[in-house]
Structure formats: C-alpha cells, structure tokens
Amino acid sequence: LHSRHALDLARQWLAPSLVARTRLIPHLRRLVTPPDRRLARLGLGLGTEDFVVCAFGFIGPSKCSHELLAAWQASDLGAHPECRLVFVGQNAEGPYGAELADRLGADGRTRITGYAAPEDYRRWLAAADLAVQLRRNSRGETSGTGLDCLAQGITLSLSALGGMTD
C-alpha cells in the first residue's frame, strides 16, 4: 500500500493475517524532464502570461469537478481574460460529464482536454501554474497525478483526504 490511510482501511476491513503481510511502500514517480514551458504553452495554445490552473486525471463526481468549476466561475480568476481552468483528462460519461461540459462557457478559458496522451500530459504539467486535485471520498488510493504535480514543482491545492494527508 502507498499510504497510512490505506493501511488503516486494511486494518478496518481485512483479516489480521492479511494485514500482517501488508507493507507500506512509496508511490514511486519517475522524474521526467518536462518540456520547455514556453514551447509547451505555445503548443497548447496558451499565452506566455496566462495563469493556468489544471485539474489532472479522469473527471467524475468523486473529484468535485462541478464544485471546482462553480468556484472558478464565481472568482475573480474566472473573469480574468488571461486565466484558464483546464480539466486535463477524460470527461465522465452520462449526465455528470454532460452537465460539466455544458457549464464550461464558450470563451475557451475553461475546457476539458479529453484523454491526454503521455506527451500531452507532460506538456500540461509544464504549462500549469497551479494544480487542483480535489477528492470527495477515498477508498485508500493515492493520487498519482497529485504526486506528479509535486514532483514537477507545481503548487498543488488538494483535499486533506485519504493518502494525500501524508
């Protein structure tokens, strides 16, 4: 397991004989030299002066995507012409994803990329000024995208929930 939270859940739900064989190991991340920030932004259609906030990973109710968008749209950042909110990942299927897409607005300053291939994912990591990784609940998992943000030196705002409290 990758977090004390996951180990606590194992103690709560699994037989002691299984927990006794359980170990905590680091959630390993490979540091990859990011693309040049200026070139990454240029390739993604961003301005050099844009303030870019990214939420990385699959979009869904457990990641509070609707709440993040509502907070963004109610903030001064959401009204500023050089500020962008980008959901870097595949949108949820069904009503949740459709409603989120409908609420984005037509100005292009908030958007969903869809699935990001590894090269595009690295470009967004290089382009981001701030990452927001929210969670509503946890089954013990550790956010690999949150750790990628930290490994790349991106300021990260996250929910104090589950493994990310470590």
Side-chain angles (χ1 to χ4, degrees), residues 36-55:
D36 176 82
R37 181 177 172 83
R38 187 185 61 75
L39 291 177
R41 283 178 169 237
L42 183 66
L44 295 168
L46 301 169
T48 57
E49 299 301 316
D50 288 347
F51 182 74
V52 180
V53 177
C54 293

Side-chain angles (χ1 to χ4, degrees), residues 37 41 46 52-54 56 123-131 154:
R37 181 177 172 83
R41 283 178 169 237
L46 301 169
V52 180
V53 177
C54 293
F56 291 94
R123 281 189 192 123
W124 282 109
L125 284 170
D129 293 296
L130 172 69
I154 301 168

